[in-house]
Amino acid sequence: MNTPTTTQYAASAAMPLQLIDLTLEYPDGEGTIKALDSVNLSVGAGQVLSLIGPSGSGKSSLLAAAATLIRPTHGLVIIDGTTASDLNDAQMTTLRREKIGIIFQQPNLLASLTAVEQLMISDHLRGKPLKAAKVRALELLEIVGLQDSAKKRPHQLSGGQRQRVNIARALMGQPKVLLVDEPTAALDNARSESIVKLLAQVTKEFSVATVMVTHDTEFISLTDSVATMRDGALGASELVGV
Ligand code: ADP
Ligand code: MG
């Protein structure tokens, strides 16, 4: 197969996320389902790309491949200049921990931990000292507007607040790439808007490259560009924002 090689694509500090000719097939009985079909996509530092498209068009598959959670059938995922497909599983896990923040629709917080502990534990798992983790966790909670909720557990927080904890937690590892799947699916309109605004804000503030999958097109004007998926293929990306 004509797989592109690393050397063909220069590492670009300004493009923390590059997907090149990405194809992903899932086994399906005797045959396969092509969830991604030769996708090419780059997202720059400080940019939010909205990814829209019908259900089953491959949006979550694109995020899973970009997150290095699934190896593509063909093509390259390049994170901050490192080609993921060149790495073994252990190296890929390290790359994911150090460079990628993942935010799914359901915040998936641990019921027994306070907001600040949710953030600290993610740094602790990276082998960072607890004291430094706590300082950074409190800073991030302030950035997402939860400075007064650091000691609250998930059941004491609203859905929007839980999603803010989720966003702060994804930023703990100082990622270069943020991958966000339907962050507002469980929220009302006002809260959805404030979550998209927050994602745009932290994307700029921390110079990450963000892909946000979203089903509602109402708030995509708050992001920098929009791409549409259909049957695993990406339509032309158009600039809608600044
Ligand atoms: P979207 O997020 O846009 O709804 P998905 O990426 O979830 O789309 O799915 C794209 C296609 O891949 C669909 O046809 C879906 O049924 C299929 N698919 C998704 N995940 C799997 C899987 N783990 N195994 C087999 N097929 C899958
Ligand atoms: Mg999906």
Side-chain angles (χ1 to χ4, degrees):
M1 201 184 283
N2 180 25
T3 300
T5 60
T6 318
T7 43
Q8 283 173 266
Y9 301 98
S12 166
M15 284 291 173
L17 176 65
Q18 293 172 277
L19 307 179
I20 295 166
D21 202 16
L22 203 62
T23 295
L24 175 66
E25 291 168 355
Y26 294 112
D28 181 51
E30 304 278 287
T32 55
I33 287 182
K34 199 177 260 192
L36 297 176
D37 189 1
S38 302
V39 168
N40 287 289
L41 180 69
S42 293
V43 184
Q47 299 287 301
V48 183
L49 174 104
S50 292
L51 187 60
I52 60 175
S55 180
S57 59
K59 304 181 300 296
S60 293
S61 298
L62 185 148
L63 288 193
T68 73
L69 293 167
I70 306 181
R71 282 185 190 270
T73 313
H74 176 79
L76 302 178
V77 174
I78 305 177
I79 304 291
D80 196 29
T82 300
T83 303
S85 44
D86 290 348
L87 306 179
N88 64 30
D89 286 351
Q91 292 168 323
M92 210 136 102
T93 300
T94 303
L95 177 77
R96 191 181 317 124
R97 276 208 194 123
E98 292 183 349
K99 305 278 187 179
I100 303 174
I102 302 174
I103 298 168
F104 291 124
Q105 177 180 334
Q106 295 299 337
N108 209 5
L109 302 175
L110 297 162
S112 62
L113 297 186
T114 65
V116 70
E117 289 167 349
Q118 311 276 352
L119 272 60
M120 287 169 67
I121 198 167
S122 75
D123 241 22
H124 191 57
L125 293 173
R126 289 186 191 89
K128 302 270 172 62
L130 275 178
K131 203 169 171 189
K134 186 165 189 180
V135 170
R136 181 159 171 77
L138 290 170
E139 275 171 13
L140 281 169
L141 285 176
E142 186 164 359
I143 286 169
V144 302
L146 289 180
Q147 58 277 13
D148 298 327
S149 302
K151 290 186 178 158
K152 290 190 179 162
R153 294 176 209 282
H155 72 275
Q156 299 170 300
L157 299 168
S158 70
Q161 289 174 324
R162 284 197 290 271
Q163 195 55 290
R164 286 168 185 272
V165 175
N166 197 16
I167 292 168
R169 181 175 57 181
L171 293 166
M172 274 300 279
Q174 299 179 280
K176 300 287 184 190
V177 173
L178 263 189
L179 301 169
V180 193
D181 202 353
E182 307 247 14
T184 63
L187 303 178
D188 64 27
N189 247 25
R191 284 178 175 157
S192 296
E193 180 172 13
S194 71
I195 289 294
V196 177
K197 278 187 174 157
L198 176 63
L199 284 167
Q201 177 202 324
V202 296
T203 295
K204 300 276 176 284
E205 190 162 342
F206 296 103
S207 283
V208 293
T210 299
V211 178
M212 178 183 73
V213 168
T214 181
H215 65 285
D216 66 54
T217 49
E218 197 168 341
F219 307 116
I220 56 179
S221 60
L222 298 169
T223 67
D224 301 293
S225 58
V226 182
T228 306
M229 286 214 86
R230 206 167 290 277
D231 296 333
L234 211 53
S237 177
E238 62 185 275
L239 217 60
V240 295
V242 271

